[in-house]
Amino acid sequence: MTPWTNSISRPCRTSGSCTLSLGHTLPHVVALLKAHWRKLAGLALIPILISFGLASAFTLIGLGTQASFFLLGVDLFLSVWFSVAVYRYWFVAEPGARRDYIPAWRGRELRFFFRALGLFFMISGVVVLCLMAFGGLTGAAGGLPAMGPGLVVGILAGLVVAVSFSFVLPAAALGPGYSYLRALQEAKGILLPFCGLLLVTILPVDLALSLVNFLLLSLERTLGLSVPGLAFAAVANYVSLTVAATVLSVVFARRTGWPLRVEGTAT
């Protein structure tokens, strides 16, 4: 499927469908998540069980550290598959089309992976350049960037780059032919509200998940219980991915005119 050449009519350029104010977009995101959380949870169940099962097994037999790269690879594969499935659930997949939800490394997963990898290197490159320019790499403890203007500017610059090119992710899940340049063109004019939307949706969720994870790590050190922390880590990853993919799907739909399959059921 090559949807990007002919089928997007860009109605949002002349109508109000491209509005990206928090008052319009945030309730839409929340409504989608509330209306479809059971389906999304069911979609995440398989990768959560696989991730948790492997991590628990290796930890119980004392190979957690040695198997870390293997577990990282499995988590990466499952995260890519899940992200693609979520985008396709919002836009194109029929509710009973299990072929879109069965873990398999198809062309769209590879396309999504390479687009995401390219975006990661662009963000990392911008952040590192900002740190070098403002001295954020000097005097860092434990190999971490030092707090200061370089780190702040780097984070903000990385956020702008992420927003500017983020449309390549849902586009890659839906079909080929959508470039980084196309994503940049689509994002023009919405960078500020888009960054704000990400900060008020994804950031609080990730901070809450990090707090719970910190409490579980404290419990693990106190009681020696690793299973709750492993289970939560598996679940938290897919909660974060779900929220991020839903936010991006809503903005992508408003900006490009590509309709959400579930639009009529949640708004």
Side-chain angles (χ1 to χ4, degrees):
M1 179 176 62
T2 0
W4 313 119
T5 53
N6 300 312
S7 62
I8 290 184
S9 59
R10 305 303 306 281
C12 65
R13 291 304 190 196
T14 56
S15 70
S17 62
C18 206
T19 303
L20 200 61
S21 66
L22 289 179
H24 288 87
T25 311
L26 186 57
H28 192 181
V29 172
V30 174
L32 285 174
L33 292 172
K34 287 176 64 178
H36 298 271
W37 71 268
R38 289 184 179 85
K39 186 66 178 182
L40 294 169
L43 183 61
L45 182 61
I46 292 177
I48 286 174
L49 290 176
I50 294 174
S51 178
F52 171 66
L54 287 175
S56 299
F58 283 119
T59 299
L60 290 174
I61 62 178
L63 295 177
T65 304
Q66 294 87 331
S68 58
F69 284 106
F70 172 75
L71 293 174
L72 181 63
V74 171
D75 286 339
L76 178 61
F77 166 81
L78 294 173
S79 297
V80 167
W81 168 79
F82 177 76
S83 299
V84 171
V86 170
Y87 287 123
R88 291 182 62 79
Y89 175 77
W90 289 133
F91 285 102
V92 298
E94 294 299 326
R98 283 182 54 81
R99 64 183 177 275
D100 289 320
Y101 305 140
I102 297 174
W105 200 261
R106 302 182 181 92
R108 58 176 176 257
E109 281 85 5
L110 282 172
R111 183 170 58 244
F112 183 93
F113 171 74
F114 286 119
R115 291 296 192 190
L117 189 64
L119 185 57
F120 169 78
F121 281 120
M122 283 192 288
I123 295 170
S124 301
V126 168
V127 172
V128 170
L129 286 175
C130 290
L131 290 172
M132 293 174 62
F134 290 91
L137 292 177
T138 61
L144 298 175
M147 293 297 296
L151 184 59
V152 174
V153 173
I155 291 174
L156 292 177
L159 178 62
V160 171
V161 172
V163 169
S164 300
F165 296 98
S166 61
F167 285 166
V168 296
L169 299 180
L174 299 177
Y178 193 103
S179 66
Y180 288 104
L181 179 59
R182 174 76 180 271
L184 182 62
Q185 292 170 342
E186 297 283 7
K188 286 181 179 178
I190 62 169
L191 289 181
L192 187 59
F194 196 0
C195 288
L197 180 64
L198 292 176
L199 290 176
V200 302
T201 53
I202 299 173
L203 184 60
V205 171
D206 286 345
L207 287 176
L209 293 173
S210 298
L211 176 60
V212 175
N213 187 57
F214 174 77
L215 295 175
L216 289 174
L217 288 175
S218 300
L219 181 66
E220 179 180 343
R221 286 193 294 267
T222 304
L223 303 178
L225 298 176
S226 60
V227 173
L230 294 174
F232 179 78
V235 173
N237 179 45
Y238 294 96
V239 170
S240 181
L241 287 174
T242 299
V243 174
T246 302
V247 171
L248 188 51
S249 294
V250 170
V251 178
F252 182 78
R254 287 174 178 266
R255 191 62 173 175
T256 64
W258 183 281
L260 293 171
R261 176 184 63 83
V262 296
E263 187 76 40
T265 65
T267 57

